[in-house]
Amino acid sequence: MTEDALKYEVLASDGAARRGRLHTAHGTAETPAFMTVGTAGTVKGLLPENVADTGAEIVLGNTYHLMLRPTAERIAELGGLHKFMNWNKPILTDSGGYQVMSLSELRKITEEGVAFRSHLDGSRHNLTPERAMDIQCLLDSNITMVLDECTPYPAEPDVAADSMRRSMRWAQRCKDAFIKRPGYGLFGIVQGSVYPDLRQESAEALQEIGFDGYAVGGLAVGEGQEVMFEVLDATMPHLTRERPRYLMGVGKPSDIVGAVQRGIDMFDCVLPTRSGRTGQGFTRRGPINIRNARHQADPRPIDPDCGCKTCSSYSRAYVHHLVKANEMLGPILLTIHNLHYYQELMAGLRDAIEKGELDAFVSAFHRQQAAGDLPPL
Amino acid sequence: MTEDALKYEVLASDGAARRGRLHTAHGTAETPAFMTVGTAGTVKGLLPENVADTGAEIVLGNTYHLMLRPTAERIAELGGLHKFMNWNKPILTDSGGYQVMSLSELRKITEEGVAFRSHLDGSRHNLTPERAMDIQCLLDSNITMVLDECTPYPAEPDVAADSMRRSMRWAQRCKDAFIKRPGYGLFGIVQGSVYPDLRQESAEALQEIGFDGYAVGGLAVGEGQEVMFEVLDATMPHLTRERPRYLMGVGKPSDIVGAVQRGIDMFDCVLPTRSGRTGQGFTRRGPINIRNARHQADPRPIDPDCGCKTCSSYSRAYVHHLVKANEMLGPILLTIHNLHYYQELMAGLRDAIEKGELDAFVSAFHRQQAAGDLPPL
C-alpha cells in the first residue's frame, strides 16, 4: 500500500456519496471533484488564472499528447508540467493508453505494451507500463494513472476478460515501477466492460496490489447512461471506501450527479471545454446552442442564475456574435462559463452531501434541467 | 469648431513631439497613445481585462465589420459598443471607408458615397458620409472618423487630387451630420497621397471646416518608411498644435517612434495583434518568430526585460509548444506580450518627452532594436 503517498480524507457521506479532500504536494482538491482537461499542457483558450477562477482545483494532462509534443523529457528539463503550464495546483495525468487506441496509427498491443505511430508525424513509439510511469514522473504529475487497455465497446466476455487481465498484469508492473514520493500517488483502473463478474475480479485484483486510488475505466464509450450506472452499481461495492474513486472520461451533468450518488469522487471530461468551442453552453435549465438565431438580440446572460465572468458581463447576443464571427473570444467565454457551471455543480453536490440533503439536491437538479431554456423576451 | 466636445491638453513637448491627454466621456487617454485594434467588437483572443492589463486606454472598432455583423442598430439596442464588448474606456471607430475598399466586393464610389456588397454574404450596402456618422453614433464611439477615400498607392497627382477633394467634400458633410455631445468628437482625415501640395491643401481644407482632431490617412499602404516620414514632414507643419494628430494604421515600432518625433499623438495598427497570431513576438532586441526551432527548449521569456503576464510566467519553450500545437493560448500569450510591448514603448516615449530626453530615448531604442535576439544559452 502507498497510503501515505497521497492522503485522502472522507469528511462526510450521504448514502453511498462521499464528501472528501485529497491532499497532494501541490495543495488540496475537494471531492467530489471535476478535473478540467488540459490535454496538451493548456486548458484550450484559457489562461491558468481563468481556469482557477472557475473554481477548478485540479487539471488533467494527457500523457499521449505530451509524450509526442513537446516530449516528457523536454517538460522535465523545463521544471515539470506545473511550471511549464503555470499551474501550481494538483495535476493528474492519464497513462496515454486511451489516446494511443483512439488517435495513433498502426498500434499493436502485446504483453509488453503498445507499439504505435504518432498521429502527428508517423514516428514510432513504445508505451509500456514502465515507460508510462517514467513519463508521468518526468511530467511531475501528482496523480499517475496505470497503463491499461480501455476495452473497446461492445466486447464479448472472453475478449473483455483477456483485456482486463492483461491490464491487471500491467497494473502490477506499474506499481513496481512507480517511484513513491510524498504528495504523489498512483491510481489503478478497473476494467471488465459491462460484465459484473469481470468488474469485481478487476477491483479485487487492483486492491490486492494496492493503489492510492481506484478509477473506473472503459465507460462513457457508447454504452449509455443506464448501462454505465449498472456497471457502477456492480463495481462500487467492491472498491474500498478508504480511497478516492475516479470515473474516467465522464461526463454530462446528469452522468456526474448519478455517479456521485453511487460513490464516485473524481471526474474528468472534455465536454465543457470542447462543447464550449462549438457553441454549446450548459445552463441550470439544460444546454443551449448559442449559434441559434433566437439568441442574436438577447441581452440576457447565458444563464441568469450564473455568477461567472461570462454571465456577469456579456449578453447572449454578444457571445452569439463572437461565435458567428469565428472570434476566439466566443469559445473562450463559453468555456469559462461551462467550466464554472461544472464547478458550481460539484460545489452544490459537495454542500448537499455535507448537509445530508443529496436526494433533494438531485431532485431539484433534474427538475431544473427539464425546465427548458428561458422564454423569449 | 467643436472645441468643447473633446478636450485635449498638451502637457509637455520636446521638439515637435508632444505629451498630451485626451478627455472623453469614457475617461482619459494619455498621448502619444497606441490604440489596440478590436475589429469586430473584440480584441482577438483577449478578455477586456487582459487588454487593460497591457496598459491600453483606448481601443479601435471597425465600422465596416460592425455595420455588417451584428449591425450598428443591434449594438445600439444592446446599449452601445462599450457595453456590448464590456470595454468601459474610450473607443475610436473608423468610418468604414478603408475596409470597404480593401474587403468588400463590387464597390462603386460616387459623389454620394460608396455602394458595395458585403464580403460575408454578398448583401448590398451604401456608405455615405451621413450614414457613417449615423453608424458611429449608434455604436456610441467616443471618437468618430469622417468617411474618406484612402487613396490607392501609387496614384498620379490628378487622381490623388480628385480623390482628396472628394474626401474634403465628404468631410464637410460629416461635420454637418455629426451630432455634438460632450466627451465625443469628430476627426478629419488628411489625404493627398505623397504630394506635399495636396497634403497642405487637405490639411487647410479640414481646418477650415474645423474638427476635434486631425488624422493623417493614406499612409502605410506600401510607400515605405522613408516616404511616409517625408509626407509627415510636409504635412505636420500645416496641422494645428491645439488638437490631437492621429496617424492611421501605423505601424512598426520604428514607424511609431519616428512619427512621435514628428508630432503624431495617436496610432492604431493590427501588427501586435495579427503578428501575435502568426508567432511573431516583439522584443526590445527586435522581433522574433517563436515557431523557430531554436526556441523549443529555451526556458527564458520572450523578452527578459518585459514585465508582462506572458514574460513573467511562461517560457519561450512553452509558447513555442503552444504555437506548434495550434493551441489558442499561443496567440493569446503572444498578443498579450506584443500589446504590452507597444504600450511600454508608448509609455517610454511619453516619459522621454516629459523629461525633454526624447533624442536619447530614440537613440537607445534603435541601438537596442539593432542588437538582435538573445544569444543561445
Side-chain angles (χ1 to χ4, degrees):
Chain A
M1 289 292 284
T2 54
E3 285 277 337
D4 295 324
L6 200 74
K7 188 179 164 199
Y8 179 69
E9 300 171 88
V10 177
L11 305 172
S13 63
D14 185 354
R18 307 111 64 71
R19 162 81 181 88
R21 184 172 295 143
L22 195 58
H23 296 260
T24 82
H26 289 81
T28 58
E30 305 298 316
T31 67
F34 180 79
M35 299 185 286
T36 303
V37 177
T39 298
T42 164
V43 176
K44 291 187 191 303
L46 266 56
L47 291 161
E49 54 263 43
N50 298 145
V51 178
D53 278 351
T54 66
E57 294 182 317
I58 175 168
V59 302
L60 177 146
N62 285 118
T63 284
Y64 174 79
H65 291 85
L66 294 170
M67 73 182 280
L68 296 180
R69 183 174 59 194
T71 76
E73 285 72 15
R74 169 76 38 77
I75 291 174
E77 282 166 18
L78 292 161
L81 186 56
H82 296 88
K83 185 174 179 192
F84 186 61
M85 66 185 287
N86 191 30
W87 175 261
N88 293 316
K89 298 177 190 233
I91 293 176
L92 177 148
T93 45
D94 66 8
S95 69
Y98 181 80
Q99 266 97 14
V100 166
M101 300 313 291
S102 59
L103 294 178
S104 75
E105 295 166 8
L106 293 170
R107 59 199 168 268
K108 188 181 170 197
I109 302 187
T110 64
E111 184 64 24
E112 178 60 17
V114 196
F116 65 94
R117 284 177 179 274
S118 162
H119 74 291
L120 297 174
D121 61 5
S123 58
R124 292 171 185 274
H125 298 266
N126 288 301
L127 192 59
T128 63
E130 292 76 17
R131 177 65 180 148
M133 296 303 97
D134 182 36
I135 290 170
Q136 293 177 79
C137 186
L138 287 166
L139 296 175
D140 199 31
S141 173
N142 297 100
I143 302 179
T144 290
M145 299 303 297
V146 297
L147 182 67
D148 68 336
E149 182 192 11
C150 180
T151 308
Y153 177 84
E156 292 299 315
D158 58 334
V159 173
D162 286 350
S163 167
M164 180 272 286
R165 286 171 192 145
R166 184 171 51 209
S167 287
M168 296 305 101
R169 294 189 296 274
W170 285 2
Q172 179 67 61
R173 286 167 58 191
C174 288
K175 175 74 185 288
D176 294 342
F178 180 74
I179 298 168
K180 291 185 192 180
R181 293 153 287 162
Y184 291 79
L186 177 64
F187 279 26
I189 304 174
V190 178
Q191 290 288 351
S193 189
V194 297
Y195 307 108
D197 56 331
L198 295 182
R199 289 282 175 181
Q200 178 177 352
E201 178 186 330
S202 180
E204 289 172 352
L206 291 173
Q207 287 167 111
E208 184 68 24
I209 299 169
F211 290 95
D212 299 300
Y214 297 90
V216 182
L219 293 177
V221 288
E223 77 283 358
Q225 189 184 75
E226 191 178 345
V227 172
M228 182 172 77
F229 286 166
E230 285 171 12
V231 172
L232 286 183
D233 289 335
T235 305
M236 300 304 284
H238 304 292
L239 287 176
T240 173
R241 293 180 64 82
E242 302 296 310
R243 298 274 87 208
R245 281 106 56 117
Y246 162 30
L247 181 55
M248 302 183 80
V250 172
K252 296 194 302 288
S254 66
D255 294 335
I256 289 175
V257 168
V260 164
Q261 289 182 293
R262 288 165 174 82
I264 293 288
D265 307 298
M266 298 165 67
F267 300 87
D268 80 279
C269 189
V270 295
L271 201 57
T273 40
R274 181 174 293 166
S275 66
R277 297 197 300 282
T278 61
Q280 188 175 55
F282 289 90
T283 84
R284 282 153 187 76
R285 302 164 69 101
I288 65 169
N289 188 333
I290 202 68
R291 303 183 71 93
N292 193 302
R294 72 195 164 89
H295 304 303
Q296 68 185 4
D298 196 329
R300 294 172 293 185
I302 291 168
D303 186 342
D305 298 317
C306 179
C308 82
K309 189 186 288 280
T310 301
C311 290
S312 302
S313 300
Y314 304 90
S315 62
R316 289 182 177 198
Y318 182 63
V319 181
H320 172 88
H321 163 69
L322 294 174
V323 171
K324 295 289 276 189
N326 290 319
E327 286 286 351
M328 276 192 283
L329 194 58
I332 291 169
L333 290 176
L334 280 168
T335 299
I336 287 173
H337 166 73
N338 285 347
L339 288 175
H340 189 272
Y341 171 81
Y342 266 68
Q343 294 298 342
E344 287 268 298
L345 176 62
M346 303 316 293
L349 288 163
R350 290 194 296 264
D351 183 59
I353 296 167
E354 277 181 15
K355 292 177 175 157
E357 298 173 353
L358 185 58
D359 283 351
F361 179 88
V362 173
S363 295
F365 165 82
H366 287 297
R367 203 163 50 238
Q368 283 188 303
Q369 287 283 305
D373 192 21
L374 303 171
L377 279 178
Chain B
M1 289 291 284
T2 53
E3 285 278 337
D4 295 324
L6 200 74
K7 187 178 164 200
Y8 178 69
E9 301 172 86
V10 176
L11 305 173
S13 62
D14 184 354
R18 307 111 62 70
R19 162 80 181 89
R21 184 172 295 142
L22 195 60
H23 298 259
T24 81
H26 290 81
T28 59
E30 306 297 318
T31 67
F34 179 80
M35 299 186 286
T36 302
V37 177
T39 298
T42 164
V43 176
K44 293 188 189 301
L46 265 57
L47 291 160
E49 55 262 45
N50 299 144
V51 178
D53 279 349
T54 67
E57 294 182 319
I58 175 168
V59 303
L60 178 145
N62 286 118
T63 284
Y64 173 79
H65 290 85
L66 294 169
M67 72 181 279
L68 296 180
R69 183 174 58 194
T71 76
E73 285 72 15
R74 168 74 41 76
I75 291 174
E77 284 165 18
L78 292 161
L81 186 55
H82 296 88
K83 184 175 180 193
F84 186 60
M85 68 186 287
N86 190 30
W87 174 261
N88 293 317
K89 299 177 189 230
I91 293 176
L92 177 147
T93 46
D94 65 9
S95 69
Y98 181 82
Q99 265 97 16
V100 166
M101 301 312 291
S102 59
L103 292 178
S104 75
E105 295 166 9
L106 292 171
R107 58 198 168 268
K108 188 180 172 199
I109 302 187
T110 64
E111 185 64 24
E112 176 61 16
V114 196
F116 65 94
R117 284 179 179 272
S118 162
H119 74 289
L120 297 175
D121 61 5
S123 57
R124 292 171 185 275
H125 299 266
N126 288 302
L127 191 59
T128 63
E130 293 76 16
R131 178 64 179 148
M133 296 303 98
D134 182 36
I135 290 170
Q136 292 177 79
C137 186
L138 287 166
L139 296 175
D140 198 31
S141 173
N142 297 100
I143 302 179
T144 290
M145 300 303 298
V146 298
L147 183 67
D148 67 337
E149 181 192 12
C150 181
T151 309
Y153 177 82
E156 292 300 315
D158 58 335
V159 174
D162 287 350
S163 166
M164 180 273 284
R165 288 173 191 141
R166 183 170 51 207
S167 287
M168 296 304 101
R169 295 190 295 275
W170 286 2
Q172 179 67 61
R173 286 167 58 191
C174 287
K175 176 76 185 287
D176 295 342
F178 179 75
I179 299 167
K180 291 185 191 179
R181 293 152 287 163
Y184 291 79
L186 176 64
F187 279 26
I189 304 174
V190 178
Q191 290 288 350
S193 190
V194 296
Y195 306 109
D197 56 331
L198 296 182
R199 288 283 175 179
Q200 179 178 350
E201 178 185 330
S202 180
E204 289 171 351
L206 291 173
Q207 285 166 112
E208 184 68 25
I209 300 168
F211 289 95
D212 300 301
Y214 297 90
V216 182
L219 292 177
V221 289
E223 77 283 357
Q225 189 183 75
E226 193 179 344
V227 173
M228 181 171 78
F229 285 167
E230 285 170 13
V231 173
L232 286 184
D233 289 334
T235 306
M236 300 304 285
H238 304 292
L239 287 175
T240 171
R241 293 181 63 82
E242 302 296 310
R243 298 273 89 206
R245 283 106 56 119
Y246 162 29
L247 181 54
M248 301 183 80
V250 173
K252 295 194 301 291
S254 66
D255 294 335
I256 289 175
V257 167
V260 164
Q261 288 183 294
R262 289 164 172 83
I264 294 288
D265 308 298
M266 298 165 66
F267 300 87
D268 81 279
C269 189
V270 295
L271 200 57
T273 39
R274 182 174 292 166
S275 66
R277 297 197 299 283
T278 62
Q280 189 175 54
F282 289 91
T283 83
R284 282 153 187 75
R285 304 163 69 100
I288 65 169
N289 187 332
I290 202 67
R291 301 183 71 94
N292 193 301
R294 72 196 164 89
H295 304 303
Q296 68 186 5
D298 196 329
R300 294 173 295 185
I302 290 168
D303 186 341
D305 297 318
C306 179
C308 81
K309 191 187 286 281
T310 301
C311 290
S312 301
S313 300
Y314 303 91
S315 62
R316 290 181 175 200
Y318 182 62
V319 181
H320 171 88
H321 163 67
L322 293 173
V323 171
K324 295 289 277 190
N326 290 318
E327 286 285 349
M328 277 193 279
L329 192 58
I332 290 169
L333 290 176
L334 279 168
T335 300
I336 287 173
H337 166 73
N338 285 347
L339 288 175
H340 189 271
Y341 171 82
Y342 266 67
Q343 294 299 341
E344 288 267 297
L345 176 61
M346 303 316 293
L349 288 162
R350 290 194 296 265
D351 183 60
I353 297 167
E354 277 182 17
K355 292 179 176 156
E357 298 174 353
L358 185 58
D359 284 349
F361 179 88
V362 173
S363 296
F365 165 81
H366 287 297
R367 204 164 49 239
Q368 284 189 304
Q369 288 283 306
D373 192 22
L374 302 172
L377 280 177

